Amino acid sequence: MSELNVVSISEAQIPAEPFEARHLIGGSWQESADGAVFERVSPSHGTVVTRACKGGLKDVDAAISAARETFDQGDWARASGKERSGFLLKVADLIDRERERIALLETLESGKPISQAKAEIEGASDLWRYAASLARTMHGESHNSLGSDMLGMVLKEPIGVVSIITPWNFPFLIVSQKLPFALAAGCTAVIKPSEMTPATTVILGELCQEAGIPDGVVNIVLGYGDPVGAAMTTDTRVDMVTFTGSTGVGKAIVKSAAQTLKKVSLELGGKNPQVIFPDADLESAVDAVVFGIYFNAGECCNSGSRIIVHEEIAEEFIQRTVDLSREVPFGDPLDPSTKVGAIITPEHQNKIDTYVREAVESGADVRLGGASLSVPGLTGHFYQPTVISNLKNDMPIVREEVFGPVLSVLTFKTLEEAIGLVNDAEYGLSAGVWSENVHTCLEFARRAQAGTVWTNTWMDGFPEMPFGGVKESGQGRELGKYGLDEFLEAKTVTMRIGRTRAPWVDPRDR
Ligand code: NAD
């Protein structure tokens, strides 16, 4: 594929020794009780980059005990907002200090471009700072209109011990969308990062310790969904599970957490549409479509993997998208100019390819790509930028999360038809509209079934703005004040003023 922009010169050095990752339990770094370990091989460079302890039930049990005892002991849960905020601000500064180191490991484990990893780490420290501000502004309600003899208060209290389970696609960013908010609320946590990307969560644990967060507040257990993640969702000592990952695992977690009626917050998959009207600024729209599908190699819950283009401009739009796709630098993630790196595993690469082949067998047209990409000098797995048209809305490639750099193109004639296609989906994470007509944009924003709607932009996010999905994309919200609320319980305190209550047992009946 010489007509693609393939980058293959590494400018950074891969560390000579793998990163050694252990569990953080009650303030001490520990091996697994049974001594088991696992290794992570870089998906781009094919070398072992992390050697991690492989947790078992004993390790989870110890971590949950530490989190439970620390929460119940009460110093952390009852600390002032000012105190907790101070710790979070220190962690943010330490993340900034360690940005290069964290970004390198994030890139080596996930295959994402180093420039993107650095930007993500910067975004993560901003999340810690924002959560610190929430810790100081957290408050409940007072009700002064319940009658002259009554005063009501709603106190906000930390929910308790929180299990945090994260995926591999944005390991450091996603743990930072959860942990600082849980800590701001006064919760204690047990964290399990994905088995593909344990290193950066371990570094975060080190930074929490260095910032002085008390032992037992932040605990980390490394390992696989079975048994580590599963035990974190069933243990009676856990009050809440916050999970980001696939819809299938999310559903399994809802079932297992139901046994003890834990609160469950879920950030799951998406098949996110962008609708392009003929009056749109097409240059910006093409750029956003290309960004939306290739950012993080399409391994993004928010990937804009489904575009719905007005048929009047469809052919021109597809051609411009194909032309711009050829210019996106794919290749070595360690090269600072690379915009799209490796696919997370060979199995996932096959899954992406199977979606494409099945679509072709069903009559779809491959307008670009549709096969693996070889990057000179690298042994990892890469996939070509791929654009597929001539699709029907019932095909798996249109309905399911491909989670790769594969764009599906549908067409429409009317706004009604476009909204019908947008909403005819199991997922409801995000949706976008491109039009210079504000009425079109507002109509779309109101009617699209999605947790986030973007108009004339794609994938912009801010700590202040809540994020989450509807339908099978999840439940609950992260970020914004909603993100803090997830970790809080409301307690009602009702107070009588004076002795005004008429006795229930009438003295005349005594
Ligand atoms: P995954 O569901 O396979 O794994 C996520 C985490 O769950 C991992 O840590 C894994 O070890 C753990 N796990 C697996 N089985 C478990 C079980 N039975 N009980 C408890 N934990 C278990 O997801 P993934 O492949 O790591 O990530 C990709 C998925 O994440 C995609 O579907 C993507 O859309 C989704 N995602 C969603 C968002 C969002 O905010 N909505 C963000 C990023 C990723």
Side-chain angles (χ1 to χ4, degrees):
M1 289 288 294
S2 54
E3 68 271 31
L4 297 176
N5 187 352
V6 181
V7 179
S8 64
I9 310 155
S10 259
E11 285 182 7
Q13 289 295 312
I14 299 178
E17 293 297 323
F19 181 84
E20 298 284 342
R22 287 174 294 163
H23 314 297
L24 175 60
I25 299 174
S28 75
W29 293 97
Q30 301 183 12
E31 312 279 326
S32 299
D34 63 4
V37 292
F38 66 101
E39 289 180 338
R40 174 64 182 152
V41 173
S42 161
S44 47
H45 291 75
T47 50
V48 175
V49 286
T50 304
R51 187 170 299 120
C53 295
K54 184 176 170 189
L57 291 177
K58 282 190 178 157
D59 308 302
V60 184
D61 179 68
I64 294 176
S65 295
R68 184 78 256 169
E69 279 161 26
T70 307
F71 184 81
D72 292 343
Q73 186 273 338
D75 281 355
W76 179 254
R78 288 196 290 266
S80 68
K82 178 181 172 184
E83 232 175 310
R84 286 202 294 263
S85 166
F87 287 118
L88 301 187
L89 290 171
K90 274 189 205 151
V91 175
D93 290 344
L94 295 173
I95 292 172
D96 287 344
R97 190 192 73 194
E98 294 298 311
R99 186 169 78 122
E100 299 288 317
R101 180 172 160 239
I102 302 170
L104 179 61
L105 279 162
E106 186 100 332
T107 286
L108 290 173
E109 285 188 338
S110 72
K112 71 177 59 192
I114 188 76
S115 56
Q116 184 195 316
K118 285 181 191 171
E120 264 172 59
I121 309 311
E122 217 174 285
S125 66
D126 192 36
L127 288 170
W128 282 80
R129 291 198 175 91
Y130 175 69
S133 73
L134 291 180
R136 294 199 72 166
T137 51
M138 187 164 70
H139 59 83
E141 294 168 1
S142 62
H143 290 259
N144 200 28
S145 307
L146 304 175
S148 60
D149 55 348
M150 301 301 292
L151 180 64
M153 289 194 296
V154 182
L155 305 183
K156 291 290 181 77
E157 297 186 336
I159 197 162
V161 174
V162 179
S163 285
I164 297 179
I165 303 174
T166 56
W168 47 259
N169 57 348
F170 296 91
F172 199 81
L173 192 71
I174 288 175
V175 74
S176 298
Q177 291 186 183
K178 298 174 186 291
L179 181 61
F181 293 81
L183 297 181
C187 296
T188 59
V190 178
I191 309 164
K192 190 200 91 63
S194 167
E195 56 276 20
M196 317 277 182
T197 51
T200 56
T201 300
V202 167
I203 295 179
L204 184 62
E206 290 169 8
L207 301 182
C208 288
Q209 280 193 310
E210 189 180 339
I213 293 178
D215 291 348
V217 171
V218 175
N219 304 276
I220 300 168
V221 185
L222 308 173
Y224 288 74
D226 179 17
V228 177
M232 288 166 63
T233 66
T234 50
D235 195 295
T236 51
R237 296 165 297 172
V238 170
D239 300 293
M240 173 180 173
V241 180
T242 171
F243 169 80
T244 298
S246 58
T247 293
V249 173
K251 287 179 182 175
I253 286 177
V254 170
K255 272 193 200 146
S256 54
Q259 302 307 311
T260 49
L261 285 182
K262 294 181 200 326
K263 178 171 180 180
V264 178
S265 153
L266 303 170
E267 298 292 339
L268 308 175
K271 189 74 191 178
N272 312 295
Q274 297 206 58
V275 175
I276 298 110
F277 283 85
D279 68 340
D281 167 359
L282 293 187
E283 194 166 335
S284 302
V286 168
D287 187 73
V289 163
V290 167
F291 163 62
I293 190 57
Y294 303 128
F295 178 71
N296 218 47
E299 296 169 329
C300 232
C301 56
N302 261 334
S303 289
S305 51
R306 197 162 60 108
I307 62 163
I308 305 172
V309 195
H310 194 279
E311 60 176 33
E312 265 176 27
I313 54 161
E315 197 40 50
E316 179 198 348
F317 196 87
I318 293 170
Q319 195 49 53
R320 286 173 72 166
T321 302
V322 165
D323 291 345
L324 192 61
S325 299
R326 290 184 202 278
E327 292 179 31
V328 179
F330 275 57
D332 187 344
L334 290 177
D335 189 299
S337 68
T338 295
K339 282 207 167 4
V340 184
I343 301 297
I344 191 79
T345 58
E347 296 75 28
H348 188 57
Q349 170 108 327
N350 285 339
K351 189 176 155 194
I352 296 169
D353 203 44
T354 303
Y355 274 111
V356 173
R357 276 188 284 107
E358 283 178 1
V360 171
E361 280 159 24
S362 308
D365 296 334
V366 177
R367 304 293 298 262
L368 178 71
S372 60
L373 173 73
S374 93
V375 177
L378 293 187
T379 54
H381 5 279
F382 298 82
Y383 205 81
Q384 293 175 12
T386 298
V387 178
I388 315 259
S389 64
N390 198 17
L391 293 162
K392 296 201 175 56
N393 206 36
D394 59 356
M395 292 179 175
I397 200 168
V398 178
R399 303 195 76 81
E400 296 171 18
E401 224 184 7
V402 175
F403 232 52
V406 177
L407 181 67
S408 294
V409 185
L410 298 169
T411 58
F412 73 98
K413 289 194 187 74
T414 63
L415 174 78
E416 281 308 313
E417 194 190 347
I419 289 178
L421 286 168
V422 164
N423 292 341
D424 178 13
E426 286 71 32
Y427 291 117
L429 191 61
S430 55
V433 59
W434 290 85
S435 166
E436 293 295 292
N437 183 332
V438 70
H439 305 288
T440 306
C441 293
L442 286 175
E443 174 93 11
F444 181 90
R446 283 186 158 168
R447 293 176 60 192
Q449 295 168 354
T452 294
V453 172
W454 285 293
T455 78
N456 296 316
T457 187
W458 188 255
M459 237 185 311
D460 290 307
F462 301 91
E464 292 83 351
M465 299 290 280
F467 175 64
V470 300
K471 296 158 88 176
E472 295 201 9
S473 289
Q475 56 193 35
R477 290 292 177 269
E478 291 187 341
L479 310 183
K481 64 184 174 54
Y482 301 84
L484 178 75
D485 260 355
E486 291 285 331
F487 298 105
L488 294 169
E489 282 284 18
K491 179 184 275 177
T492 299
V493 178
T494 307
M495 293 181 287
R496 183 170 292 280
I497 301 163
R499 297 271 176 268
T500 54
R501 180 176 177 272
W504 185 59
V505 180
D506 194 328
R508 287 169 303 184
D509 296 339
R510 283 185 186 163

